[in-house]
């Protein structure tokens, strides 16, 4: 393998490992690893220039068309991670979290970390992990205000 190819491969592996490392220590990281390539599941990971305009360093989401099989595991992981998080907003119905928005403690100075979770119609669900310089209020504005 020539040097430019080896350098490119090394860079790609490093960038991939940074995205994985970002969630280490969180139980939800295992949800992405376990279900990310299953049928009926869509996983998206954005980093670098794609998220810079929103002051994010990492955006990772996983969406389930039918979460029935994975739901108990997701809820277990979410419950564990919530223990270290500040609850920003949570909707509970029938004793189960329907949607939640949590801010985790910083691991790096000026880098905030968030977990967002929502179940939808027809047993669908989405789990999102975000980290970056954006503040909780900025994230709420970004998520909940429509642009005309």
């Amino acid at each position: 393998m020539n040097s430019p190819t080896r350098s490119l491969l090394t860079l790609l592996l490093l960038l991939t490992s940074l995205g994985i490392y970002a969630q280490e220590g969180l139980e939800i990281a295992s949800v992405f690893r376990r279900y990310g390539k299953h049928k009926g599941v869509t996983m998206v990971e954005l980093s670098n220039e794609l998220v810079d305009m929103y002051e994010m360093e990492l955006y990772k989401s996983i969406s389930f068309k039918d979460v029935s099989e994975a739901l108990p595991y997701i809820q277990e992981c979410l419950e564990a991670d919530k223990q270290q998080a500040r609850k920003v907003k949570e909707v509970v119905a029938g004793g189960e979290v329907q949607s939640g928005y949590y801010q985790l403690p910083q691991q790096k100075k000026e880098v905030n970390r968030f977990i967002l979770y929502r179940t939808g119609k027809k047993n669908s669900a989405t789990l999102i992990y975000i980290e970056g310089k954006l503040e909780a209020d900025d994230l709420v504005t970004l998520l909940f205000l429509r642009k005309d």
Side-chain angles (χ1 to χ4, degrees):
M1 192 180 307
N2 63 24
S3 183
T5 304
R6 186 176 305 178
S7 297
L8 180 60
L9 183 58
T10 303
L11 179 63
L12 289 173
L13 289 172
L14 177 62
L15 290 174
T16 302
S17 67
L18 288 175
I20 292 169
Y21 176 75
Q23 288 181 297
E24 285 308 309
L26 295 178
E27 294 298 318
I28 62 160
S30 64
V31 173
F32 289 88
R33 283 191 299 267
R34 180 184 271 193
Y35 297 105
K37 295 184 180 181
H38 281 207
K39 184 176 181 182
V41 174
T42 302
M43 188 167 73
V44 175
E45 182 174 346
L46 303 175
S47 59
N48 301 330
E49 303 85 30
L50 295 173
V51 292
D52 277 349
M53 62 192 258
Y54 295 110
E55 296 185 317
M56 294 181 203
E57 291 184 13
L58 178 67
Y59 171 96
K60 204 167 184 182
S61 71
I62 187 165
S63 298
F64 297 78
K65 285 184 181 179
D66 183 355
V67 74
S68 301
E69 180 185 317
L71 187 59
Y73 185 74
I74 293 169
Q75 289 174 332
E76 178 183 314
C77 292
L78 191 59
E79 283 299 318
D81 289 339
K82 281 175 23 180
Q83 301 307 311
Q84 62 178 317
R86 179 173 70 90
K87 202 180 306 179
V88 177
K89 181 180 178 182
E90 188 173 69
V91 176
V92 178
E96 291 188 7
V97 176
Q98 302 298 306
S99 66
Y101 166 33
Y102 314 97
Q103 184 170 4
L104 299 159
Q106 291 182 345
Q107 287 186 320
K108 294 187 285 185
K109 188 177 180 178
E110 296 185 24
V111 178
N112 296 311
R113 304 181 311 146
F114 302 94
I115 297 173
L116 296 89
Y117 170 74
R118 180 177 181 195
T119 56
K121 297 176 182 174
K122 299 181 182 177
N123 290 326
S124 65
T126 301
L127 178 64
I128 300 171
Y129 174 79
I130 297 173
E131 63 180 44
K133 291 182 180 182
L134 72 166
E135 299 290 330
D137 292 340
D138 298 331
L139 187 56
V140 169
T141 300
L142 180 67
L143 294 172
F144 299 113
L145 291 183
R146 287 187 159 188
K147 294 183 180 181
D148 294 327

